[in-house]
């Protein structure tokens, strides 16, 4: 177990800590956002014996996203608004070492679009970083809970709120901003972990000075973007209230020193009011971690007409992939001319599939003799399961688009992604822009909350597969004129949601082959899977359901191995750690988030909650609001 | 498993159902309030293997008192204000069959003295009876949750509220009233289960027509009480705002057709303002179940000076006891002249220790040969662990006082109970009346919340012992003048509480010999044990702690056999049942009640919450607010 020492914290600290599978030091487990753990005490054979070790109520209701961090013998958990933080002593049956209970103005609640969620705290430099709903970023002494500094990152009176988990890299902590439904112009900000001073801020749109885009060096699909690309595809001053908020997840490649994240929907939801591509909303950004300058970017959904925010997690893996982009595979492998595609089900040897982490034990996937030779053409990939229903695989060095395939066959708004331009081929009848204002475009799949929303996927280097919690929901979408008023909803569309045709299930939990762009297996779920997945070296994948089940499935086959009904619906992310040599699984329950907004906010009108209330109305037959940590173990 | 049938409900229904150990049909398990179960799958040997089967968040925070009922394949649970009720399908993983979510005015919250608690629903006549905080008694169809009738039992604008669990006997449902801290004159009311019409109402004080006291027939320690005994010990009209509320537990003896319950403190807490014995506050009532007429009564704490409400549960057992009151033992045993006291640790054979229930299997307590002969002198007893720190054993036929002994050695306000008069011998220096107004009387033990409060005890016929959750808390108490204003607090004392001298523990869980009036064993607990106990034929006793542990101890020795940390502090009562032949243990977590009022109501000033906040301040190091059901089972 790790002991805190004031002097032991260096810029390299997190790079080291994330390599220790006994800990869980950042929300998605590692900088690569794999949500994968090398722990294997709990495995596909014995997971059926899992039982609850202990529990802890947070004392707060509504949606509990994110999950616990475990650093040494201390577990850190957080709550939705009012954003309490608890440090729990794992040596003393979860006794509270310290708690931080901020007082925040409740006026922030109505300007949070999708429940009063918070995706978790970050650790770094001996501090716990909490990003409050009111956009206050607070640095707390990890040992004592004392506030060291705080800084205000946005303006709730104009609709700016905080829900995302900060990320710490070296001496900086990064935070985003929410408020795409209030016309907030999104930005990512880097603060100094020691002082809280702002180091840089990069807007999603606007002049190059704001966006930290270098017109010559920053590329889109390999080409320089040119001057003020964050203005040129907007009409007039609309970029100033253009959305593209940064409320999702952030990843980091230590070798490339790049951070990766996506931007949200352009404001308003009424596309007719904002002609143009609305750059750089709906865009993956690769930025220099030190300077914030964009290296490359890629826009998934130009001129969004469906609210397909591009903020979902970016998973950074090194996998065999045909072709070799300059500077990519060459950096970690001896490039060979072999372009045979390595298929996960054929097995493969890997070296360092997760950047910044040591090579794990050999895959247990059945390996034909042919696969014994070192994998070639390993490329530095970025895998992003976008809300628009396409799973993207890009070269994360260059931003080259390698794969873009539907990860739910129900997706119908676009036929495919043009691999040259990266543009979706939109189906006219599902174009809310072509159909126009005050016309109800019906049967669009996915719904506004996408084939996947904030719920983070996981990746297992042992199977080479991505485990993706998904939504299987379609919608009717009727845009209308709206005028901007600071702090007022700037939505401009009426939406209603329902299950995709041919069934009643609102979700699937799938295994995804990001090299092939194919679903390997899929488990139908009654409700959307709004919980983040965990894959382990025990070849088990864990996820939670909105009914409240923690489920464990076989990483290779998807076969259910275990389920347990936790107190409330799960929209938290499953984590694992060891304490005194024993592996535990931990997850927060607490119904809410966009899918659970009806119950969380007490809404009953089907189109309320930005259209989500109706589809999920039957949730209350399974689960009520809550806020609990459940920790699982194997019997001794 | 039992299937509902509209026709199967008869007046005898509950008498039958309470004999089925597979069900849990009333809050305290049976009419005798023993909280004892014949189930023995879970026993002292295997309870260490207990694990959590499933959980359910109620979606409500603050104190969760009472516990689930199990009738057939359905579990009924309830919440504190706003008093939701859920019917959960045990055949379908706890899925919600129906829910009832009353809308109540929040103005009732500030007139609830001791948190927004509710001690549970009652079942009878195919209905679930919910007694809301706002004093609305609602009859719900047990199958559908549909409201059949409702009636308003009190007036929250004058301080009348509802927290107690109703009791159903034959065609009547009984409910009490809270508001002793608001000058409410207490009453118990019987309503017709079919129609909701009021059948009778019996006040705790006032003229005989109000109190349903028969001046000739109703006795106090064997003597008729005389005319208007509910007025004669009050000055002027003070009885009209005299307190003596009826917020505790109710028991019933089907053979005697008597219901038993106690009344609360006289209002105000300032004793100088209300000279006299303040009859019949602080009194055990035995009333005819049909007419409400009092058969006998016994006042534990005449002229209360410490807030020692007499409402704790009355446990009805038939135990060997020397002497034989007329009509008592003779009814169930062949009386013999043998007056040898049967001591539990010497073992005994019993016939029908719990009235209205069949004889259980023989005691496993070691039985010397001498004990093989049938126990003689079995008497119909009532055991009442009073808040004033004395454990009372009475003849429940006559109201004769048999035993009155301290169940915590810390008790110091009285030296003993005079067995002739039943009066406590008050120690002058702890008399807040003698010390007078505006004088701080210090070091009184127990504190106002008593050596025991609402947390119900249990009794095992296998050991002959009572398992009592207790407080070990003392206080300073400073009375002051207060004038009555309807709906305003009518307390008139400043109180502060702290652990009893010589330790830091605020509670003990004890085994009590009610024949001897002696503590058999005692387990110190860091906090008061505010949870109701359960004893089973497996010789295990269960209780919850304010830190959140469910604990199982050996019924004979008190040795801890199992503990599990539930999400929140436990002030609920542990219940057991079977489903598909398997035994389960169920308990509600959810910190609150008077002991947890600081956290529940967000109070921090040590004397706030009627003096309780300071003593329990460190609770937040162990547990936060919550509201969860946890169901336990043995592994298959
Ligand atoms: O545009 C925005 O600023 C913004 C913010 C948030 C948020 O911060 O939670 C969500 C969304 N958009 C959004 O589109 C969305 O689907 C969503 C789901 C959730 C959630 O936590 O369940 N938040 C958000
Ligand atoms: O005098 C009353 O009417 C009254 C009501 C209640 C209640 O209804 O909860 C309590 C008390 N008194 C009381 O004295 C007391 O100790 C108490 C504890 C609790 C609890 O639920 O923890 N309620 C009450």
């Amino acid at each position: 177990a790790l002991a805190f020492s004031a002097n032991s914290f260096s810029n390299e600290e997190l790079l080291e800590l994330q390599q220790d599978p006994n800990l869980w030091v950042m929300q998605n487990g590692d900088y690569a956002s794999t949500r994968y753990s090398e722990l294997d005490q709990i495995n596909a054979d014995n997971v059926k014996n899992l039982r609850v070790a202990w529990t802890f109520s947070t004392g707060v209701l509504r949606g509990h996203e994110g999950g616990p961090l475990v650093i040494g013998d201390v577990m850190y958990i957080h709550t939705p608004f009012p954003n309490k933080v608890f440090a729990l002593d794992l040596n003393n049956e979860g006794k509270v070492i310290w708690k931080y209970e901020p007082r925040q103005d409740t006026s922030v609640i109505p300007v949070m679009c999708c429940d009063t969620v918070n995706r978790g705290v970050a650790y770094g430099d001996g501090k716990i970083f909490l990003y409050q709903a009111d956009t206050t970023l607070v640095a707390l002494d990890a040992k004592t809970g004392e506030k060291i500094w705080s800084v205000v990152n946005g303006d709730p009176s104009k609709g700016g709120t905080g829900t995302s988990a900060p990320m710490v890299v070296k001496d900086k902590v990064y935070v985003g901003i929410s408020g795409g439904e209030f016309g907030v112009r999104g930005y990512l900000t880097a603060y100094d972990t020691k002082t809280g001073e702002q180091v840089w801020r990069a807007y999603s749109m606007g002049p190059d000075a704001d966006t930290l885009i270098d017109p010559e060096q920053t590329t889109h699909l390999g080409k320089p973007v040119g001057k003020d690309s964050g203005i040129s595809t907007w009409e007039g001053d609309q970029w100033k209230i253009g959305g593209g908020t940064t409320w999702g997840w952030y990843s980091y490649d230590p070798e490339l020193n790049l951070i990766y994240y996506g931007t949200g929907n352009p404001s308003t939801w009424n596309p007719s009011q904002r002609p143009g591509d609305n750059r750089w909303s709906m865009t993956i950004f690769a930025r220099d971690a030190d300077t914030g300058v964009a290296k490359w970017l890629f826009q998934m959904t130009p001129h969004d007409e469906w609210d397909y925010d591009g903020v979902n997690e970016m998973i950074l893996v090194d996998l065999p992939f045909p072709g070799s982009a300059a500077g990519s595979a060459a950096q970690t492998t001896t490039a060979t001319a072999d372009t045979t595609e390595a298929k996960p089900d054929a097995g493969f040897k890997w070296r360092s599939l997760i950047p910044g982490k040591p090579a794990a034990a050999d895959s247990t996937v059945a390996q034909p003799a042919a696969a014994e030779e070192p994998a070639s053409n390993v490329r530095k990939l970025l895998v992003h399961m976008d809300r628009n229903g396409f799973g993207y695989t890009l070269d994360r060095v260059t931003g080259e688009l390698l794969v873009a395939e539907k990860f739910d066959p129900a997706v119908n708004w676009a036929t495919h992604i043009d691999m040259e331009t990266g543009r979706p081929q939109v189906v006219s009848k599902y174009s809310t822009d072509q159909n126009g204002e005050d016309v109800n475009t019906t049967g669009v799949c996915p719904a506004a909350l996408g084939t996947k929303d904030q719920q983070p996927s996981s990746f297992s280097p042992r199977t080479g597969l991505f485990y993706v919690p998904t939504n299987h929901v379609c919608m009717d979408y009727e845009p209308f004129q709206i005028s901007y008023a600071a702090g007022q909803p700037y939505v401009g569309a009426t939406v209603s949601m329902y299950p995709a045709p041919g069934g009643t299930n609102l979700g699937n939990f799938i295994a995804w082959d990001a090299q092939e762009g194919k679903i390997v297996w899929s488990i139908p779920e009654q409700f959307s899977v709004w919980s983040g997945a965990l894959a382990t070296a025990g070849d088990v994948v864990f996820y939670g359901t909105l009914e409240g089940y923690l489920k464990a499935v076989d990483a290779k086959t998807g076969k259910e191995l275990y389920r347990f009904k936790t107190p409330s619906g799960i929209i938290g992310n499953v984590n694992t750690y060891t304490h005194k040599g024993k592996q535990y699984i931990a997850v927060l329950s607490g119904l809410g988030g966009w899918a659970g907004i009806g119950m969380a906010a007490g809404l009953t009108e089907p189109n309320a909650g930005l259209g989500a209330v109706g589809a999920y109305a039957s949730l209350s037959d399974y689960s009520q609001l809550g806020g609990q940590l459940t920790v699982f173990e194997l019997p001794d």
Side-chain angles (χ1 to χ4, degrees), chain A:
Chain A
L2 176 105
F4 283 122
S5 143
N7 301 326
S8 75
F9 302 118
S10 74
N11 288 346
E12 301 299 310
E13 182 197 14
L14 276 169
L15 272 182
E16 277 166 35
L17 292 183
Q18 68 155 2
Q19 295 185 22
D20 184 349
N22 299 298
L23 314 180
W24 193 271
V25 292
M26 50 189 85
Q27 286 295 330
N28 286 335
D30 51 41
Y31 277 136
S33 297
T34 61
R35 304 194 60 73
Y36 170 75
S37 168
E38 276 299 331
L39 298 179
D40 61 3
Q41 285 177 16
I42 298 168
N43 60 42
D45 288 333
N46 63 22
V47 68
K48 64 175 182 293
N49 301 322
L50 219 56
R51 65 175 189 193
V52 180
W54 57 282
T55 59
F56 182 82
S57 174
T58 67
V60 177
L61 301 175
R62 304 193 63 162
H64 281 60
E65 291 182 350
L69 300 185
V70 174
I71 298 155
D73 295 328
V74 182
M75 175 185 285
Y76 300 92
I77 61 170
H78 67 285
T79 76
F81 182 93
N83 306 131
K84 302 187 186 193
V85 183
F86 299 96
L88 304 180
D89 187 351
L90 297 178
N91 288 330
N92 195 358
E93 302 181 320
K95 194 180 164 189
V96 176
I97 299 171
W98 56 256
K99 50 185 169 296
Y100 182 73
E101 305 180 295
R103 291 198 179 274
Q104 292 182 72
D105 203 312
T106 53
S107 63
V108 73
I109 295 174
V111 283
M112 302 187 79
C113 73
C114 309
D115 198 10
T116 54
V117 292
N118 184 289
R119 289 183 200 89
V121 292
Y123 170 78
D125 192 30
K127 304 183 181 79
I128 292 292
F129 296 94
L130 166 69
Y131 186 38
Q132 298 179 183
D134 66 5
T135 79
T136 308
L137 175 67
V138 190
L140 302 169
D141 185 307
K143 271 185 286 189
T144 65
E146 237 171 282
K147 192 203 285 193
I148 298 173
W149 54 257
S150 74
V151 62
V152 175
N153 188 55
D155 185 352
S157 78
K158 301 211 169 82
T161 57
T163 66
S164 47
M167 178 172 71
V168 176
V169 172
K170 295 182 278 188
D171 58 353
K172 294 183 191 61
V173 50
Y174 307 91
V175 273
I177 189 80
S178 299
E181 279 59 57
F182 294 81
V184 169
R185 177 168 64 126
Y187 47 87
L188 190 80
T189 313
Y191 293 98
D192 186 305
T193 55
K194 295 255 176 298
T195 62
E197 256 162 286
Q198 184 177 315
V199 184
W200 54 257
R201 170 168 288 177
Y203 284 87
S204 304
M205 52 216 45
D208 291 339
D210 286 7
T211 56
L212 308 189
I213 288 175
D214 180 327
E216 312 300 330
Q217 305 287 326
T218 306
T219 60
H220 187 246
L221 293 178
K223 302 200 187 73
V225 291
K227 187 165 154 43
D228 288 340
S229 58
I231 290 183
S232 52
T233 65
W234 290 89
E235 217 170 55
D237 272 359
Q238 283 188 340
W239 57 269
K240 290 188 177 167
I241 51 168
T245 50
T246 51
W247 59 274
W249 301 102
Y250 321 126
S251 301
Y252 172 63
D253 183 322
E255 286 172 37
L256 300 174
N257 198 36
L258 291 177
I259 56 176
Y260 300 91
Y261 68 97
T263 60
N265 64 291
S267 310
T268 144
W269 288 20
N270 175 0
S272 309
Q273 272 181 262
R274 44 165 174 74
D277 273 0
N278 309 132
R279 292 181 167 180
W280 297 105
S281 69
M282 306 303 211
T283 296
I284 300 174
F285 273 91
R287 290 188 184 274
D288 184 279
D290 300 324
T291 64
V293 171
K295 178 159 188 223
W296 59 259
L297 28 69
F298 173 73
Q299 191 179 40
M300 278 85 60
T301 312
H303 186 63
D304 170 62
E305 313 170 40
W306 313 269
D307 189 44
Y308 295 151
D309 297 48
V311 307
N312 294 351
E313 74 286 356
M314 312 293 163
I315 308 182
L316 314 184
V317 292
D318 297 355
L319 281 179
F321 199 90
S324 171
S328 181
Q331 290 194 332
T332 47
T333 66
T334 308
T336 73
D338 180 358
T339 56
T340 312
E341 204 168 311
K343 297 196 188 94
D345 56 352
F348 53 87
K349 287 254 186 209
W350 68 282
R351 290 113 197 264
S352 173
L353 288 179
I354 304 174
K357 293 184 95 167
D362 283 356
S363 166
T364 55
V365 176
Q367 302 206 10
E372 291 294 334
E373 59 199 71
S376 56
N377 288 323
V378 167
R379 282 179 77 166
K380 290 174 150 323
L381 304 180
L382 177 154
V383 174
H384 169 73
M385 308 305 285
D386 196 55
R387 194 146 125 189
N388 71 12
F390 289 88
Y392 291 86
T393 305
L394 290 91
D395 184 304
R396 74 173 178 276
V397 181
T398 61
E400 181 189 346
L401 178 61
L402 304 176
V403 176
E405 295 292 340
K406 296 179 183 181
F407 60 99
D408 180 355
V411 172
N412 66 10
W413 68 280
T415 55
H416 66 283
I417 305 296
D418 182 305
M419 298 302 287
E420 287 307 307
T421 62
R423 298 183 83 91
Q425 182 59 48
V426 174
V427 175
S428 293
K429 80 170 179 185
Y430 300 122
S431 167
T432 73
D433 193 359
Q434 292 175 43
N435 293 336
E437 280 173 8
D438 303 323
V439 174
N440 196 12
T441 297
T442 60
V444 188
C445 307
L449 39 66
T451 303
K452 195 181 98 52
D453 199 285
Q454 62 80 34
Q455 54 273 42
S457 316
S458 84
F459 166 75
S460 169
R462 294 170 56 86
T463 60
L465 296 177
F466 294 78
Y467 301 98
V468 189
T470 74
N471 313 324
H472 187 62
V473 186
C474 303
M475 70 174 167
D476 300 346
Y477 188 112
E478 181 171 333
F480 58 83
Q481 273 287 333
I482 182 138
S483 33
Y484 174 82
Q488 295 304 312
Y490 187 53
V491 176
T494 305
V495 174
S496 79
M497 303 185 192
Y498 39 81
T504 58
N505 63 309
L506 292 163
N508 294 296
F509 186 77
I510 70 165
W512 177 251
D513 176 341
Q515 295 139 295
E516 297 268 6
K518 286 214 175 87
I519 297 170
V520 176
W521 48 253
S522 177
I523 307 168
E525 283 285 350
Q526 178 166 10
F527 297 101
S528 300
V529 187
W530 214 261
S531 146
L534 168 75
T536 71
D539 287 332
V540 185
V541 180
F542 297 89
Y543 64 99
T545 74
L546 283 175
E547 298 105 309
Y549 289 105
L550 175 86
K551 292 191 180 177
V553 301
D554 185 297
K556 289 166 212 147
T557 65
K559 189 178 160 235
E560 184 176 312
L561 303 172
Y562 173 78
R563 65 160 76 186
F564 176 86
K565 186 100 190 285
T566 71
S568 180
I570 301 179
I571 64 168
N573 307 331
V574 190
N575 297 350
T576 189
Y577 64 95
T578 67
H579 182 247
K580 298 204 168 134
K582 186 171 183 178
Q583 184 182 0
Y584 294 88
I585 304 288
V587 71
L588 288 172
S589 303
L591 206 52
W594 193 2
I597 188 67
M599 293 186 68
L603 309 172
T604 51
E605 204 271 305
N607 289 353
L610 300 172
V613 169
Y616 298 89
S618 66
L619 252 182
S620 67
D621 292 346
Y622 298 89
S623 193
Q624 299 294 309
L625 298 189
Q628 299 90 8
L629 171 79
T630 308
V631 180
F632 298 84
E633 65 180 357
L634 288 175
D636 290 318

